[in-house]
Amino acid sequence: MGVDILTEKDPDLYEVRARLGYPPIWTREPGFASLIHIILEQQVSIKAAATIFQRLASHLGSVTPELVQRAGEPELRRVGLTRQKSRYCVELANRITGGKLDLAQVEKLDDVQGRSHLLEIPGLGPWTVDIYYMMALRRPDVWPQGDLALASAIQDIKNLDARPTKEQQLAFAEQWKPWRAVAARMLWMHYLDARGQ
């Protein structure tokens, strides 16, 4: 439904749907493991992050707050996480095991409250939280701020001379409310297709 509404409003998105059809949903299970996976995806390719996540899961047996906390930063680094990402993962685990963060409770909050709660945690910036809200919580009106693939796709479909800045992306996304997450999925689909992936 969101795709159909967007394609009525935006001729460029209409062209994307006409060429490629409806986008995949690309979902994740809500919870700690998905947030860790998204942290690993920060500033690296999805493929590289998946490899590191699988290595971490194999090493620990499962990606739970307790196991990540017990492993600690040095062990996470030995598995291939950077110093910074190791710190973020252990801090997230500590907050959950210490009762300072309840992801099931965050899921019940509205987008603004829930996002601000998660943004208080080191390592969970706007992009990470937005991806979690889109992929794991399946919220329809979230825009992943600063996503480079989305910037490239907007540049392509809108025939811009340069990739739009984060602020310009947000301005484009305004017209796609309340289906910004759907527009993002369409743009990612265009991006992957344009690069033969």
Side-chain angles (χ1 to χ4, degrees):
M1 181 173 78
V3 172
D4 292 341
I5 291 168
L6 287 169
T7 55
E8 284 175 24
K9 287 203 284 189
D10 187 323
D12 297 312
L13 290 181
Y14 179 89
E15 286 299 318
V16 171
R17 187 191 63 184
R19 204 166 20 90
L20 302 172
Y22 290 83
I25 298 294
W26 290 307
T27 59
R28 311 255 176 105
E29 281 302 309
F32 177 76
S34 284
L35 257 179
I36 293 295
H37 197 152
I38 296 165
I39 288 171
L40 297 180
E41 289 175 340
Q42 294 169 356
Q43 299 174 328
V44 300
S45 74
I46 290 190
K47 198 179 221 175
T51 300
I52 295 170
F53 183 81
Q54 285 309 319
R55 203 179 304 146
L56 178 66
S58 292
H59 181 75
L60 298 179
S62 179
V63 182
T64 67
E66 296 76 16
L67 291 172
V68 167
Q69 185 182 47
R70 195 174 311 141
E73 291 180 39
E75 196 171 330
L76 297 188
R77 285 202 300 276
R78 281 195 293 278
V79 177
L81 278 72
T82 64
R83 181 180 300 275
Q84 192 175 43
K85 288 182 181 180
S86 298
R87 191 173 74 245
Y88 294 160
C89 292
V90 170
E91 175 63 26
L92 180 61
N94 289 340
R95 288 195 183 221
I96 291 172
T97 58
K100 292 181 182 171
L101 175 64
D102 180 347
L103 289 176
Q105 194 59 41
V106 167
E107 198 172 338
K108 295 174 187 166
L109 300 173
D110 69 38
D111 290 4
V112 174
Q113 288 177 311
R115 284 182 81 260
S116 70
H117 200 59
L118 290 177
L119 286 168
E120 293 171 5
I121 300 164
L124 300 188
W127 181 86
T128 305
V129 173
D130 293 338
I131 294 293
Y132 184 73
Y133 264 74
M134 269 185 78
M135 303 295 193
L137 303 185
R138 298 171 184 87
R139 302 290 170 88
D141 194 33
V142 178
W143 182 259
Q145 296 178 45
D147 188 280
L148 294 178
L150 292 178
S152 290
I154 291 171
Q155 180 183 0
D156 287 351
I157 72 164
K158 298 293 181 186
N159 293 313
L160 305 176
D161 292 332
R163 270 200 318 224
T165 64
K166 187 159 59 171
E167 292 72 26
Q168 289 167 330
Q169 286 182 60
L170 286 169
F172 272 111
E174 277 296 307
Q175 68 186 302
W176 299 321
K177 282 182 169 182
W179 300 103
R180 288 178 295 176
V182 178
R185 291 175 198 282
M186 294 178 76
L187 290 164
W188 277 326
M189 183 174 63
H190 164 85
Y191 176 85
L192 293 171
D193 179 70
R195 281 139 194 89
Q197 296 177 12

